[in-house]
């Protein structure tokens, strides 16, 4: 409870801060494209994440769909929308949302979006397309091994194995030191 209430307080503070900074009085305005406010993106994603954790999938879908009307380039929001559709077994919509998320060639999370896209495809029974997407996902270092494992376990109608990350060697050393 305390975690969620802190997140809500943070969101309201972010809205206030976004109004002040986005007004142009103290900051030149949005950094992303014309009409795209990074604060709004973060607020919508935060509320959608809260809804997901509370299993309020329709509320998350509504917020994300409304946001994506004005910000179609928000790949993280598309991914969250896809996750809500997976949770409600709306596989056609999930597939579309993950496809939209994976279109961004510059997003550092693109490999995750490709994996989720393949997962929605295989659950929907499209083995051939899922195989193509996973073959492409093998080129993304962070998820390459998970993509290879998933290719060996493609079963139409069944979810892919859980996604595991391949951390770069430098990360592995720092993770080992921290434990």
């Amino acid at each position: 409870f305390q975690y969620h209430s802190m997140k809500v307080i943070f969101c309201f503070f972010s809205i206030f801060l976004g109004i002040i900074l986005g007004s142009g009085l103290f900051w030149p305005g949005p950094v992303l494209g014309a009409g795209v406010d990074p604060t709004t993106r973060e607020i919508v994603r935060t509320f959608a994440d809260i809804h997901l954790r509370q299993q309020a999938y329709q509320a998350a879908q509504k917020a994300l769909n409304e946001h994506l009307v004005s910000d179609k380039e928000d790949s993280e929001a598309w991914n969250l929308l896809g996750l809500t559709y997976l949770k409600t077994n709306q596989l056609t919509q999930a597939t579309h949302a993950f496809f939209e998320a994976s279109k961004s060639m510059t997003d550092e999370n693109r490999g995750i979006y490709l994996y989720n896209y393949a997962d929605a495809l295989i659950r929907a029974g499209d083995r051939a397309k899922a195989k193509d997407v996973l073959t492409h996902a093998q080129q993304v270092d962070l998820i390459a091994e998970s993509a290879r494992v998933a290719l060996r376990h493609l079963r139409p109608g069944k979810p892919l194995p859980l996604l595991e990350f391949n951390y770069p060697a430098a990360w592995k050393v720092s993770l080992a030191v921290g434990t």
Side-chain angles (χ1 to χ4, degrees):
F1 172 76
Q2 190 175 22
Y3 169 75
H4 290 297
S5 61
M6 290 302 296
K7 210 163 186 181
V8 170
I9 291 169
F10 172 75
C11 287
F12 287 116
F13 177 73
S14 296
I15 291 169
F16 174 73
L17 194 59
I19 291 169
I20 298 294
L21 295 177
S23 68
L25 294 174
F26 303 104
W27 192 260
V31 186
L32 299 170
V36 176
D37 180 12
T39 304
T40 302
R41 275 186 169 186
E42 191 58 37
I43 291 168
V44 170
R45 292 174 189 163
T46 301
F47 277 119
D49 184 54
I50 291 169
H51 289 309
L52 269 167
R53 292 173 192 270
Q54 296 175 341
Q55 299 178 354
Y57 304 122
Q58 289 179 337
Q61 290 167 357
K62 183 178 186 281
L64 290 164
N65 276 313
E66 288 174 1
H67 166 67
L68 289 166
V69 167
S70 62
D71 189 359
K72 291 178 178 28
E73 303 300 314
D74 189 350
S75 54
E76 190 172 334
W78 280 113
N79 186 64
L80 284 169
L81 183 60
L83 292 173
T84 68
Y85 286 136
L86 271 185
K87 291 289 190 180
T88 56
N89 206 32
Q90 298 176 63
L91 300 177
T92 302
Q93 294 90 333
T95 301
H96 172 73
F98 290 133
F99 170 76
E100 291 295 327
S102 68
K103 288 189 334 187
S104 173
M105 299 301 281
T106 58
D107 194 309
E108 63 188 19
N109 295 319
R110 185 165 187 264
I112 297 167
Y113 306 153
L114 286 169
Y115 195 87
N116 288 344
Y117 180 34
D119 188 30
L121 287 165
I122 196 66
R123 289 179 191 213
D126 192 345
R127 186 180 192 284
K129 183 69 175 169
K131 184 177 179 181
D132 288 345
V133 172
L134 285 170
T135 300
H136 185 68
Q138 288 182 97
Q139 299 171 16
V140 180
D141 288 339
L142 190 61
I143 65 152
E145 185 57 32
S146 286
R148 281 191 280 281
V149 169
L151 277 167
R152 291 192 302 266
H153 296 94
L154 282 180
R155 301 210 182 6
K158 301 289 184 188
L160 293 181
L162 289 178
L163 178 61
E164 295 184 21
F165 299 102
N166 303 329
Y167 295 106
W171 287 20
K172 287 180 182 175
V173 170
S174 66
L175 290 172
V177 170
T179 55

